[in-house]
Amino acid sequence: MSAYLMLLAPSANHVYAAETATLAAAELAVTSPDLGAAVERRVAGVDYLAFEADDLDPRKIAAQSSVLALFERASAPAELPGRASEQAALFGSEPAADVPTTSPSEVLLRPIELPRSDVLDDDLVTIPKYRGKTNELFTRLLLHVTLSQVTTRRGTAAAGRDAPTGHDQTRRQFDVLDPLAGRGTTLLTAWTAGHNAYGVELDTSAFEQFAGFLKTYLRRKRLKHTAEVTTVRRDGRMMGQRLDATARPGEQTRGHRAVPDAPQLAMTMFTGDTRDAAVLFGKRKFDAIVTDAPYGVVHGATDARRASRENGKRGSAGHPTGHRPGGDRDRSPATLLADAIPVWAGQLRAGGALGLSWNTYGLSREDLAAICTDAGLEVRNDGPWLQFAHRVDSSIKRDLMVAVKPARLVS
């Protein structure tokens, strides 16, 4: 069995950076359960995740949200004093409360080349800057752990369907829906990872900013693409807007180097209420639904007069989040999720997975699990799945939950 050290990528968010090692260890345990338990180790003042593996597939490590580099711990020369004790300190099964420090002069690391897991540059996700944007690394983590639980038959491979597992597995492409899309962090993350992306967003301003950014990005990167915003009409009435886009990162252009085996990417995004997602997408089903629920900090209730005024401005394009005509608007995350999760569950293919993050100060894990269970989903609720909770600020403690639609059910 070989020993490895995974170097973690730095985070611009200092609060998230403090939690990165714990979250990365949980992600590794969920997505690669065949590996040995990962523990945090410090070498020459740099933090790593240490783990052991019999037959390591570098692609599994390349897909981790926080990986920067991977090293194999090579055997140190026998004449170096203290080698046995340093090995025990580095890979002991019971690490000390504070992160053990290993002398760099007695640790030999061999770099392991990681294959490229993304089909688009990560600046697609990192360029947009705005208040309230979900941390990019966490979005990638949420997408990764959710897709790790998908067993749909329609999870296609770039080089054919039902690719065998193991080292010869080809790239799988999933259909991912974010029904609370905002300005598209999850959609862009899904595209970067090579998946088709679909979204629903109530805020027309956020929709327009996202569409404008995507068009500009694709043009400046000189990617082969299409992108068009159209008006959705029913019975002669304007219902909202729709963005349809495609990108072909596998095709060479004068300004873009082709990514080998990269699939064509598709994206569709509607303006509208998330609880109307099934109406907007009709019979279309998805392999995964991945979303970051409102945290409930700035989403307070409003009076009927203001709710009515806002609904009038939007016409029939959609209702403000948490509001139905004829009553006050309740924007509490608990109410929204109780209404929306049954809708989302119906949009999953058999074997599909719902992954969402939320503020535990506004809704307990037990109550959210009950909502998912009542919607016919099986919640992942033990072991490393309970190790993702982390503080965002004084009023937000974020956690994630993944629930799977049983494969025995018919989509």
Side-chain angles (χ1 to χ4, degrees), residues 4 7 19 40-41 53 76 82 131 149 151-152 168 185 187-188 198 242 252 255 269 273 276 316 333 348 375 382 389:
Y4 299 90
L7 181 63
E19 304 280 359
E40 187 177 0
R41 296 300 178 199
R131 184 178 181 184
Q149 302 303 298
T151 58
T152 57
D168 295 328
T185 301
L187 305 186
L188 298 178
Y198 304 85
R242 170 176 177 159
Q252 187 89 8
M269 183 178 180
D273 191 312
D276 296 327
S316 57
L348 283 173
D382 58 0

Side-chain angles (χ1 to χ4, degrees), residues 178-196:
D178 182 355
L180 297 167
R183 287 177 59 178
T185 301
T186 300
L187 305 186
L188 298 178
T189 300
W191 254 29
T192 300
H195 306 294
N196 297 320

